[in-house]
């Protein structure tokens, strides 16, 4: 358990307290390059915005809109307004600005529209975090460390509506993020309308859902998951992004991750009979484009339409995870390798990517690809997106290529951000806020010259497990704002200062109704002790704020008792707890009713997994509409451990179990997913005592749980036991699909 940190600085930045204690950090995120706090305050209410003919109209409108949306005073435009936007050619830097606030007003100056816009964002943050409308006098001179401050959104695995993409851009702008990498094609879907090749969206835009979600229980017909962006929608999103100073970098992933493409146009495939639809498997699929002349002609035509939609300099053409089995087995492709005098399939991929890069170059664009493009010869001006840690960027910079740092797992937002059972579905590695904040974007492995090739940083949201936009928001925020801090400024690490500013940003989002992940802020309780002497320990994954609690059923407030040490509670006591940073409530209030039964029940999310191969928080495959259960399992080895389970007097158990489709493309690793053989056709839940090699104390048949699509309950008996023992739970089943998962285990007397 991590320590319960009480951050004194947090109290200083709380809006009410900040006025009394101006020594706390300014509520800005990202922190500007240079800040000097002056004397006095500027009263915003009643002020007007003044702009000049040569600039500030757009930035002024942004300021007015943001202030209104966050509950601030209505700001009008007036020639003599106290909030002034001024063009100043003397301010160097494409995104640089200066903001001077005095008791008489605020002045934002910049040479560029982007600078004026970012000045407006900073002023808005000050106003939105000063509910009395009096902002401190301050002189800010600001410019970003990196020009590429990115977020990748995968719209292929799951599709988000245009309104969501625009909302993401709006929020990126609030954090001064300026690049949206839009992953528009993959094995599971093609998402961009191409006039010349309508089957790309017609066939490539739909897949049948995996598992129970893939069949309509009423009609028995397949349930299809479809979606694509029309050209008109893309033009609207591009215009929206431009107005928010965000550049969109579209990605068409080639030659691998191409199942949707080859399903739509089988002539593009490297095998005679490619799949007829996009895949509903997650993982690395074998389907590659055939790099012949016909494919190149097709791709050129397709890229023409992509370039016509996206005016930015960069076009991302993928290049990742192209397993070469299909190329190895194809005689024509082998002949092509010989004819071109290439060494092997990797070199052929290099040749293919270089050919596409040349085509983009001829049209005034630049190619960008995942770091595998370094395995073949790529054009010198190709930019490398490093996802294999930071090694790709180091190799790229050393060989003279520009690079973007997007390292897995730390910049991969599909990883969960705490061990809370309240987290959205995702991968099991924990990328928490403090860990992400601790990332060093200036690797010491590079010389100063090589570092100049680092264009910037980017977090990536892959959406295999991110079915809804609610999940997407919670996976992206607040972590994208932390990335913004690293990419804008990367000041010396000071977690108390930063977490105070993070709370300020979350408070602004809260007022605006914008979602972010609150699970790490929620207080958790762990009950221990005996039936008549219950003890509860509180913790919170984020370790931010003070925990306050009540035992009379009332909601905790900033004046409720502060938690110092585990509490003794008599059965029947209602316990409520919430973390507070000063007066600001963090997360949601949590409630428990102290009862001895709590000692003898444990959700699988609170158990340990027996292994760490591919741990996932997996969303159930049903119901089609409505809330789906989230399970916690290692798909390579489904097995859970409940440490020191209290077994005195226990004679029976009840387990909630579920079944998931095993839709994971894991290649030969599938052979490593092995199960104990069942003795009944539906299989059994096995419970062992004292670890996974211990004595079996319960074997519970699963037949009773097979006729529901959601979770079901099964029960069994346990011979008399004494003391506390580790329990190990596994399933005996004939194969991985469907895949049994434990949701909760309750011991009974
Ligand atoms: C990647 O994660 N395959 C770029």
């Amino acid at each position: 358990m991590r320590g319960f940190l009480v951050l004194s600085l947090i109290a200083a930045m709380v809006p009410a307290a900040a006025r009394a204690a101006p020594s706390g950090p300014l509520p800005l995120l990202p922190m500007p390059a240079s800040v000097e706090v002056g004397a006095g305050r500027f009263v915003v209410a009643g002020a007007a915005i003044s702009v000049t003919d040569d600039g500030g109209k757009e930035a002024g409108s942004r300021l007015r809109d943001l202030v209104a949306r966050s509950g601030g005073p209505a700001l009008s435009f007036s020639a003599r307004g106290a909030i002034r936007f001024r063009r100043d050619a003397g301010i160097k830097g494409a995104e640089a600005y200066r903001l001077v606030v005095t008791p008489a007003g605020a002045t934002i100056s910049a040479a560029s529209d982007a600078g004026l816009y970012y000045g407006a964002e900073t002023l808005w943050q000050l106003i939105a975090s000063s509910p009395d409308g009096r902002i401190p006098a301050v002189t800010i001179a600001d410019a970003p460390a990196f020009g590429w401050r990115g977020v990748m959104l995968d719209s292929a695995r799951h599709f988000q509506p245009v309104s969501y993409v625009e909302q993401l851009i709006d929020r990126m702008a609030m954090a001064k993020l300026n690049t949206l990498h839009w992953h528009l094609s993959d094995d599971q879907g093609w998402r961009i309308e191409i006039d010349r090749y309508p089957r790309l969206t017609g066939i490539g835009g739909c897949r049948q859902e995996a598992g129970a979600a893939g069949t309509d229980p009423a009609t028995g017909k397949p349930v299809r998951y479809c979606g694509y962006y029309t050209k008109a929608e893309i033009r609207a999103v591009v215009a929206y992004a431009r107005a928010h100073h965000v550049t969109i970098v579209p990605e068409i992933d080639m030659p691998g991750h191409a199942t949707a493409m080859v399903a739509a146009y089988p002539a593009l495939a490297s095998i005679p009979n490619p799949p007829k639809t996009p895949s509903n498997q997650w993982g690395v699929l074998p389907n590659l484009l055939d790099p012949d002349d016909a494919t190149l002609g097709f791709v050129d035509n397709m890229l023409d339409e992509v370039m016509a939609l996206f005016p930015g300099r960069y076009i991302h053409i993928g290049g990742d995870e192209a397993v070469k089995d299909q190329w190895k087995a194809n005689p024509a492709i082998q002949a092509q390798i010989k004819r071109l005098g290439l060494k092997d399939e990797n070199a052929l991929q290099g040749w293919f990517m270089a050919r596409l890069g040349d085509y983009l170059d001829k049209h005034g664009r630049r190619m960008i690809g995942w770091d595998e493009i370094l395995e073949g010869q790529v054009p010198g001006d190709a930019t490398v997106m490093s996802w294999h840690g930071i090694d790709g960027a180091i190799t790229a910079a050393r060989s003279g290529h520009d690079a973007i740092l997007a390292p897995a797992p730390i910049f991969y937002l599909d990883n969960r951000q705490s061990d809370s059972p309240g987290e959205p579905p995702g991968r099991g590695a924990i990328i928490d806020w403090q860990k992400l904040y601790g990332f060093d974007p200036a690797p010491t492995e590079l010389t100063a010259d090589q570092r100049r090739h680092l264009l910037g940083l980017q977090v990536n949201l892959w959406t295999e497990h991110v079915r809804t936009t609610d999940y997407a928001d919670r996976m992206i925020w607040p972590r994208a704002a932390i990335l913004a801090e690293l990419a804008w400024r990367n000041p010396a690490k000071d977690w108390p200062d930063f977490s105070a500013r993070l709370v300020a940003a979350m408070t602004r989002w809260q007022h605006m109704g914008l979602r972010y992940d609150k699970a790490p802020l929620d207080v958790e309780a762990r009950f221990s002790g005996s039936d008549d002497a219950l003890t509860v320990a509180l913790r919170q994954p984020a370790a931010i704020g003070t925990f306050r609690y009540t035992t009379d059923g009332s909601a905790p407030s900033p004046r409720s008792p502060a938690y110092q040490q585990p509490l003794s509670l008599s059965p029947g006591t209602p316990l409520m707890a919430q973390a507070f940073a000063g007066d600001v409530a963090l997360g949601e209030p949590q409630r428990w009713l102290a009862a001895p039964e709590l000692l003898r029940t444990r959700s699988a999310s609170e158990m340990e997994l027996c292994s760490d191969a591919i741990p996932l928080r997996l969303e159930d495959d049903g119901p089609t509409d409505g809330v789906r259960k989230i399970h916690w399992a290692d798909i390579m080895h489904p097995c859970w451990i409940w440490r020191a389970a209290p077994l005195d007097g226990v004679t029976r158990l009840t387990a909630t179990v579920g079944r998931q489709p095993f839709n994971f493309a894991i290649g030969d690793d599938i052979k490593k997913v092995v199960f104990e053989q069942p003795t009944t056709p539906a299989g059994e839940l096995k419970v062992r005592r004292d670890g996974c090699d211990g004595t079996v104390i319960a074997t519970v048949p699963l037949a009773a749980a097979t006729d529901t699509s959601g979770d079901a309950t099964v029960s069994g008996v346990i011979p008399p036991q004494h003391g506390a023992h580790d329990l190990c739970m596994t399933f005996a089943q004939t194969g991985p699909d469907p895949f049994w998962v434990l949701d909760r285990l309750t011991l009974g007397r």
Side-chain angles (χ1 to χ4, degrees):
M1 193 190 302
R2 277 175 280 180
F4 304 140
L5 206 57
V6 179
L7 298 169
S8 55
L9 271 173
I10 290 271
M13 56 66 50
V14 168
R19 300 193 291 276
S23 58
L26 287 174
L28 299 175
L29 201 165
M31 182 51 93
S34 151
V35 177
E36 271 174 49
V37 177
R41 294 189 164 245
F42 166 49
V43 179
V44 179
I49 300 171
S50 94
V51 298
T52 54
D53 287 345
D54 64 350
K57 185 115 195 61
E58 173 212 52
S61 300
R62 173 71 172 171
L63 176 69
R64 181 193 57 191
D65 294 349
L66 282 177
V67 169
R69 282 165 59 195
S70 51
L75 300 174
S76 55
F77 283 89
S78 151
R80 297 158 63 85
I83 300 172
R84 293 172 292 269
F85 286 86
R86 295 284 174 269
R87 184 80 68 187
D88 181 346
I91 294 178
K92 298 289 172 229
E95 297 174 302
Y97 69 93
R98 203 174 146 79
L99 165 63
V100 179
V101 180
T102 67
T107 304
I108 292 165
S109 355
S112 67
D113 288 343
L116 293 171
Y117 187 85
Y118 288 136
E121 298 288 344
T122 301
L123 180 56
W124 163 68
Q125 292 187 7
L126 289 173
I127 295 171
S129 290
S130 306
D132 67 349
R134 299 165 66 242
I135 61 170
V138 71
T139 298
I140 290 175
D142 201 10
F146 289 106
W148 184 302
R149 305 179 299 278
V151 174
M152 189 208 77
L153 177 67
D154 170 6
S155 295
R157 273 53 176 270
H158 282 104
F159 178 80
Q160 306 82 21
V162 164
S163 58
Y164 181 78
V165 183
E166 292 186 346
Q167 188 239 205
L168 173 61
I169 291 167
D170 176 40
R171 291 188 76 175
M172 286 172 62
M174 288 179 211
K176 303 189 177 78
L177 293 163
N178 68 353
T179 306
L180 175 65
H181 168 177
W182 203 359
H183 187 78
L184 288 166
S185 79
D186 214 299
D187 296 305
Q188 297 81 6
W190 179 279
R191 306 292 178 214
I192 166 173
E193 182 175 40
I194 300 292
D195 294 332
R196 189 168 178 147
Y197 302 118
R199 288 168 61 91
L200 284 172
T201 45
I203 302 288
C206 290
R207 63 171 183 261
Q208 182 178 2
E209 287 283 63
T215 308
D216 183 332
T219 63
K221 293 210 172 113
V223 175
R224 298 198 321 152
Y225 181 94
C226 302
Y228 70 89
Y229 304 101
T230 65
K231 288 197 158 172
E233 287 173 328
I234 289 176
R235 281 189 203 102
V237 172
V238 167
Y240 186 92
R242 187 191 289 124
H244 290 73
H245 294 275
V246 169
T247 300
I248 302 185
V249 177
E251 180 185 355
I252 306 296
D253 204 346
M254 298 174 284
H257 288 282
T259 306
M261 219 171 152
V262 300
Y265 290 92
L268 301 174
S270 300
I271 50 171
N273 294 302
K276 294 197 167 13
T277 64
S279 178
N280 60 18
Q281 303 268 311
W282 310 135
V284 178
L285 283 103
N287 301 306
L288 301 196
L289 299 182
D290 180 339
D292 65 6
D293 286 347
T295 299
L296 284 165
F298 181 104
V299 172
D300 290 349
N301 293 335
M302 178 268 292
L303 287 176
D304 285 345
E305 295 193 34
V306 172
M307 287 187 281
L309 285 170
F310 294 98
R313 187 166 181 222
Y314 293 96
I315 305 285
H316 200 307
I317 52 175
D320 59 322
E321 298 181 313
V323 241
K324 304 296 187 308
D325 295 352
Q326 293 187 350
W327 285 4
K328 286 186 181 139
N330 182 318
I333 294 174
Q334 289 303 311
Q336 185 181 3
I337 291 176
K338 278 219 180 72
R339 199 168 58 248
L340 293 168
L342 296 170
K343 180 164 144 267
D344 58 11
E345 293 77 17
N346 281 345
L348 180 61
Q349 172 166 338
W351 174 86
F352 179 74
M353 300 308 274
R355 168 63 186 68
L356 300 186
D358 285 345
Y359 190 75
L360 294 174
D361 266 0
K362 278 198 202 96
H363 291 78
R365 307 302 181 93
R366 286 185 66 173
M367 82 170 257
I368 180 162
W370 297 106
D371 54 33
E372 287 95 331
I373 63 171
L374 291 168
E375 289 166 15
Q377 24 97 237
V378 285
D381 65 354
T383 299
V384 174
M385 190 164 273
S386 178
W387 71 282
H388 285 97
I390 60 169
D391 293 353
I394 290 170
T395 314
R398 283 188 181 149
S399 58
H401 291 281
D402 286 346
I404 314 294
L405 284 180
I410 190 156
F411 282 6
Y412 271 40
L413 301 183
D414 52 340
N415 290 299
R416 63 188 174 144
Q417 48 212 307
S418 78
D419 61 2
S420 163
E423 291 292 358
R427 289 175 171 271
I430 295 176
I431 304 301
D432 65 37
W433 305 340
Q434 201 164 352
K435 187 186 286 181
L436 181 56
Y437 173 68
F439 180 84
D440 179 6
T444 48
E445 291 92 329
L446 292 184
T447 62
D449 254 6
Q450 289 165 342
R451 259 185 231 162
R452 273 192 265 286
H453 282 293
L454 287 188
L455 301 184
L457 313 183
Q458 178 175 296
V459 280
N460 295 336
L461 183 67
W462 300 104
T463 58
E464 286 91 336
H465 308 291
V466 185
R467 186 176 55 91
T468 68
T469 52
D470 174 70
Y471 289 155
D473 271 339
R474 289 161 65 201
M475 294 308 259
I476 295 174
W477 306 105
R479 289 184 294 186
I482 301 175
L483 187 280
E485 175 84 0
L486 302 177
W488 185 269
R489 167 103 169 92
N490 191 35
K493 305 294 180 197
D494 181 345
W495 175 249
D497 170 281
F498 179 73
S499 58
R501 293 186 286 115
L502 188 59
V503 168
M506 292 192 287
T507 306
R508 290 192 287 271
W509 298 334
Q510 187 78 22
H511 283 140
M512 297 169 91
L514 299 172
R515 293 176 295 212
Y516 58 96
D517 187 27
K518 295 182 191 169
L521 297 168
D522 288 342
V523 175
E524 298 171 8
R526 180 59 67 84
F527 287 83
S528 59
S530 60
D531 284 21
D532 37 356
L534 287 169
T535 299
V536 63
L538 302 181
R539 71 179 283 262
Q540 179 222 45
I544 295 179
T546 303
F547 312 159
R548 301 199 176 268
Y549 68 94
T550 63
T551 52
D552 61 0
S554 64
S557 78
R559 278 151 296 285
S560 303
Y563 175 86
Q564 312 280 0
Q565 60 192 32
L567 308 168
S568 298
L569 297 179
S570 39
T573 308
L575 171 68
M576 289 192 76
Q578 188 166 17
F580 289 84
D583 281 349
V584 176
L586 306 176
E588 300 292 340
Q590 304 294 311
R591 186 176 196 282
W592 305 266
L593 188 64
E597 289 72 29
L598 291 177
L599 301 175
R600 289 186 287 275
T601 188
R602 191 61 66 90
S603 74
S605 293
E606 296 166 311
M607 295 181 192
E608 278 175 37
L609 300 181
C610 307
S611 52
D612 188 28
I614 309 183
L616 296 174
R617 283 181 63 72
L618 268 177
E619 200 193 38
D620 206 354
D621 51 338
T624 308
D625 300 311
V627 178
R628 297 183 181 181
K629 217 41 182 290
I630 299 167
H631 295 124
W632 170 230
D634 183 344
I635 58 160
M636 298 297 292
H637 182 209
C639 171
W640 298 260
I641 296 178
W642 178 353
R643 296 267 174 229
L647 295 186
D648 276 333
V650 167
T651 56
R652 59 197 164 79
L653 66 83
T654 304
T656 320
V657 295
R659 279 176 306 164
Q660 296 258 358
F662 193 88
N663 59 325
F664 305 102
I666 53 174
D668 276 351
D669 281 353
I670 189 79
K671 295 186 194 127
K672 298 187 195 151
V673 189
V674 288
F675 293 94
E676 194 176 335
Q677 280 310 300
T679 53
T680 55
E684 300 90 31
L685 167 68
K686 297 249 179 174
V687 181
R688 288 180 168 81
R689 194 192 64 202
D690 300 323
C692 298
D693 296 324
T695 316
V696 175
I697 59 167
T699 301
V700 185
L702 295 166
T706 54
D707 52 3
T708 62
S709 77
D711 281 2
T713 300
V714 291
S715 310
V717 292
I718 299 181
Q721 309 285 327
H722 299 286
H725 296 265
D726 292 351
L727 297 182
C728 172
M729 278 62 67
T730 55
F731 291 95
Q733 61 181 104
T734 47
D737 194 18
F739 180 80
W740 285 101
V741 282
L742 181 66
D743 178 62
R744 173 171 288 278
L745 189 68
T746 302
L747 305 170
R749 284 178 164 169

